[in-house]
Amino acid sequence: NAGVTQTPKFRVLKTGQSMTLLCAQDMNHEYMYWYRQDPGMGLRLIHYSVGEGTTAKGEVPDGYNVSRLKKQNFLLGLESAAPSQTSVYFCASRKDFGQATYEQYFGPGTRLTVT
Amino acid sequence: KQEVTQIPAALSVPEGENLVLNCSFTDSAIYNLQWFRQDPGKGLTSLLLIQSSQREQTSGRLNASLDKSSGRSTLYIAASQPGDSATYLCAVRVRGSGTYKYIFGTGTRLKVLA
């Protein structure tokens, strides 16, 4: 049981380039989240998904897109990277509301630098 | 708008000391509060989760309390060890815009000196 995994761990992009971050979980969780963590600002929610085939905007969705084609995977895309998107990105998942205590499980993070 | 504050931002204590980390939130309408540990360059590890109807939760040397009416939670660490050195984050689960979401504090960076 690997929990929540993220690929890649590190990436450097030039302004305007695109990339996709992959999050995978093997806990059969319904809910998945993408956060970004910046110094002095805490984690902020980018997008989230309440189940396969569904996505919704979080607090800071601009410049990002997501897809949840399979229950175990949640992809975060940057179509045209900007320096303001330099951050550490975390994926999280949790069980459905009918099953447990809403505890979130986090991946190890992806450190992205946009130059 | 819900805001979560953690003070102090950083704390250094000698090994063996008992310590308290603070988390305050501005809106008492929360569904739960979760404490996390984050090691440098790593993800978040859940330590304790307190439901809104509970007053405290315990796990080993950790005890978390919740006082919704005053908008406060504390994380008590007994007999601190150098291995406890990390950043501790709290997050509250709230309802907003038709769904639930989590609001995070900025964390307290703890250093336990050997």
Side-chain angles (χ1 to χ4, degrees):
Chain A
N1 191 332
V4 181
T5 58
Q6 292 183 232
T7 308
K9 289 184 169 54
F10 303 93
R11 186 72 185 268
V12 178
L13 288 179
K14 293 187 188 307
T15 297
Q17 287 185 320
S18 63
M19 78 164 293
T20 299
L21 283 67
L22 170 64
C23 175
Q25 52 93 4
D26 60 1
M27 297 175 282
N28 201 34
H29 285 175
E30 290 290 337
Y31 289 71
M32 297 187 75
Y33 306 83
W34 275 109
Y35 293 92
R36 59 178 290 173
Q37 184 178 38
D38 302 291
M41 298 191 72
L43 276 79
R44 291 180 293 168
L45 182 64
I46 305 171
H47 285 280
Y48 64 98
S49 168
V50 301
E52 181 178 323
T54 73
T55 63
K57 294 180 180 180
E59 184 183 355
V60 288
D62 294 341
Y64 305 95
N65 57 77
V66 287
S67 64
R68 183 99 181 267
L69 299 179
K70 293 183 179 180
K71 186 177 183 179
Q72 63 268 34
N73 295 335
F74 194 28
L75 279 63
L76 178 70
L78 286 74
E79 291 185 347
S80 179
S84 61
Q85 295 177 305
T86 293
S87 187
V88 181
Y89 292 85
F90 288 101
C91 176
S93 71
R94 73 166 177 86
K95 294 178 181 178
D96 181 80
F97 73 94
Q99 295 176 320
T101 58
Y102 317 111
E103 184 175 358
Q104 291 187 88
Y105 296 83
F106 280 79
T110 294
R111 187 173 296 274
L112 175 66
T113 301
V114 183
T115 61
Chain B
K1 179 185 176 184
Q2 177 74 268
E3 293 182 1
V4 179
T5 304
Q6 293 184 250
I7 295 173
L11 180 65
S12 288
V13 300
E15 182 177 6
E17 190 165 300
N18 301 325
L19 61 101
V20 174
L21 305 180
N22 298 298
C23 173
S24 61
F25 44 95
T26 54
D27 188 341
S28 62
I30 66 169
Y31 289 85
N32 66 43
L33 184 145
Q34 196 167 357
W35 281 95
F36 296 90
R37 170 186 173 134
Q38 185 176 26
D39 293 286
K42 305 289 186 183
L44 281 68
T45 301
S46 178
L47 297 173
L48 290 165
L49 184 148
I50 311 176
Q51 301 290 0
S52 62
S53 58
Q54 297 174 323
R55 295 300 298 266
E56 65 178 341
Q57 282 285 340
T58 299
S59 176
R61 294 184 294 109
L62 305 179
N63 176 278
S65 68
L66 175 63
D67 184 342
K68 275 182 56 177
S69 61
S70 66
R72 294 180 59 186
S73 175
T74 61
L75 179 67
Y76 174 83
I77 303 177
S80 59
Q81 303 170 357
D84 295 330
S85 298
T87 297
Y88 291 80
L89 299 162
C90 67
V92 296
R93 184 170 183 256
V94 301
R95 178 116 180 146
S97 302
T99 188
Y100 296 96
K101 59 182 179 180
Y102 298 85
I103 308 296
F104 285 80
T106 53
T108 294
R109 190 169 61 254
L110 172 67
K111 187 169 186 178
V112 180
L113 306 170

